[in-house]
Amino acid sequence: MAALIAENFRFLSLFFKSKDVMIFNGLVALGTVGSEELFSVVAFHCPCSPARNYIYGLAAIGVPALALFLIGVIWNNHTWNLVAECHKRGTKNFSAAATFLLFGSIMGRASVAPITWSVISLLRGEAYICALSEFVKPSSLDKFPAEYGAEVLAKIPCRDVPANLTKFRDEVTRRLRYESQLFGWLLIGIVAVLIFLTKCLKHCCSPLSYRQEAYWAQYRSNEDKLFRRTAEVHSRILAAKNVKQFFGFVALDKEEKELVQEFPVEGVQPSPQWNAITGVYIYRENKGFPLYSRLHKWAKGVEGNGPTPEGHELLFLAS
């Protein structure tokens, strides 16, 4: 029984490690849902005034979505790899398909939070009702008093209408909420179809087998973890060495003393080496052998960024 439980935990651990991007996107979506709920309770207050309603309602949906999109672009590692690539090497080594793939990856990941925000806002309907209540045609409402117009309709989200218009207020609210939720469900459907088609296209066009793609993902994850861990130790030892040279001694705890003794650091990596392992990386092969990262490429001594006579570029971006 214990062995079975341990095996199940091991399976779940491997599953979640292989689905880290999906889990991250899920956490982003959940965080966005919570933020939207908090915003609706605390910050959303429709002005209930003609002309202002429309601007405020659209801003309540669009501005936070835009801010979340920009934050997603900033947090994406591919964004800064692209910036480094353009700064150091330019984009002459990338084909149009590779450039489209890279931008699609950045925009796709950055769109998770704004799409979630827009969907939740539409399903709740408050911002939509605020924005469009004044545009409801009085003629579409049965027996609506002719003396009332857009000014009264604009006050419907605040429920500040004459008593004889209560039934019309409820009808307008139901109608606009229906439209808002319909657009929300349609947006969910469209996004789901796009995700499905993108995943199908990715696997159909991938030059890698399923097992090699899983291996590449594991390699990239392990390389990143080991690189960060080693860089942290290297920088600590180098800092200790320089502090000791300045003061004549350095105050280290037991763990740091063991690190200094075990891993002697004699120098630092020159800038060309850092530049060689920094930037966008599209999967490439050299003489039939895969190169899984810029660090892997540097370690094998392969020069240049574009395809060579001995190797070729395969348009597949690391996730």
Side-chain angles (χ1 to χ4, degrees), residues 36 60-61 116-128 180:
E36 206 282 336
I61 298 176
T116 303
W117 178 278
S118 300
V119 167
I120 298 301
S121 297
L122 289 172
L123 292 179
R124 288 181 61 89
E126 293 179 354
Y128 187 90
S180 180

Side-chain angles (χ1 to χ4, degrees), residues 6 27 37 61 66 90 117 130 141 154 205 231 235 248 253 256 276 279 286:
L27 292 176
E37 290 291 334
I61 298 176
L66 176 60
W117 178 278
C130 177
L141 301 172
C205 299
S235 62
D253 58 28
E256 290 171 334
N286 183 261

Side-chain angles (χ1 to χ4, degrees), residues 69-268:
F69 177 78
L70 294 177
I71 291 173
V73 172
I74 292 172
W75 277 359
N76 195 322
N77 289 334
H78 288 326
T79 302
W80 305 114
N81 285 333
L82 178 61
V83 171
E85 188 74 24
C86 294
H87 177 66
K88 297 296 181 182
R89 306 176 187 90
T91 58
K92 59 182 181 299
N93 293 318
F94 285 134
S95 63
T99 303
F100 175 79
L101 181 65
L102 179 60
F103 275 103
S105 174
I106 294 173
M107 299 302 167
R109 292 189 184 184
S111 298
V112 173
I115 288 177
T116 303
W117 178 278
S118 300
V119 167
I120 298 301
S121 297
L122 289 172
L123 292 179
R124 288 181 61 89
E126 293 179 354
Y128 187 90
I129 293 172
C130 177
L132 297 182
S133 62
E134 64 181 286
F135 296 104
V136 174
K137 294 182 179 180
S139 58
S140 66
L141 301 172
D142 186 32
K143 298 181 180 180
F144 186 83
E147 63 269 19
Y148 298 112
E151 291 187 2
V152 173
L153 292 173
K155 296 180 180 181
I156 284 179
C158 299
R159 299 183 175 272
D160 184 18
V161 295
N164 62 326
L165 297 182
T166 301
K167 66 174 184 178
F168 298 108
R169 179 196 66 195
D170 295 339
E171 181 180 350
V172 170
T173 300
R174 283 195 300 269
R175 180 186 300 181
L176 293 178
R177 193 179 301 278
Y178 155 77
E179 294 178 0
S180 180
Q181 292 184 348
L182 178 62
F183 289 139
W185 290 119
L186 287 176
L187 181 57
I188 291 176
I190 292 171
V191 171
V193 170
L194 289 176
I195 292 175
F196 173 75
L197 294 177
T198 301
K199 296 292 288 185
C200 291
L201 184 63
K202 174 186 175 183
H203 287 290
C204 289
C205 299
S206 172
L208 308 180
S209 66
Y210 174 78
R211 292 186 180 276
Q212 188 178 7
E213 185 178 335
Y215 176 84
W216 185 27
Q218 292 174 348
Y219 171 85
R220 298 273 299 187
S221 176
N222 290 327
E223 180 190 89
D224 182 65
K225 292 177 182 177
L226 291 172
F227 188 91
R228 290 176 181 274
R229 190 187 310 162
T230 304
E232 195 276 333
V233 173
H234 186 281
S235 62
R236 185 185 302 183
I237 296 174
L238 181 62
K241 179 180 178 181
N242 292 335
V243 171
K244 182 178 181 180
Q245 184 174 356
F246 183 82
F247 287 105
F249 73 96
V250 59
L252 300 174
D253 58 28
K254 182 179 179 181
E255 180 184 355
E256 290 171 334
K257 289 179 180 178
E258 293 176 354
L259 288 176
V260 171
Q261 293 175 357
E262 187 176 358
F263 305 109
V265 174
E266 300 299 333
V268 297

Side-chain angles (χ1 to χ4, degrees), residues 19-92:
K19 304 295 182 181
D20 54 346
V21 174
M22 181 179 68
I23 293 173
F24 176 77
N25 289 341
L27 292 176
V28 170
L30 288 176
T32 306
V33 171
S35 300
E36 206 282 336
E37 290 291 334
L38 181 63
F39 171 81
S40 298
V41 173
V42 177
F44 184 82
H45 300 287
C46 185
C48 294
S49 173
R52 295 180 181 177
N53 281 16
Y54 183 72
I55 297 175
Y56 185 84
L58 291 184
I61 298 176
V63 173
L66 176 60
L68 290 170
F69 177 78
L70 294 177
I71 291 173
V73 172
I74 292 172
W75 277 359
N76 195 322
N77 289 334
H78 288 326
T79 302
W80 305 114
N81 285 333
L82 178 61
V83 171
E85 188 74 24
C86 294
H87 177 66
K88 297 296 181 182
R89 306 176 187 90
T91 58
K92 59 182 181 299

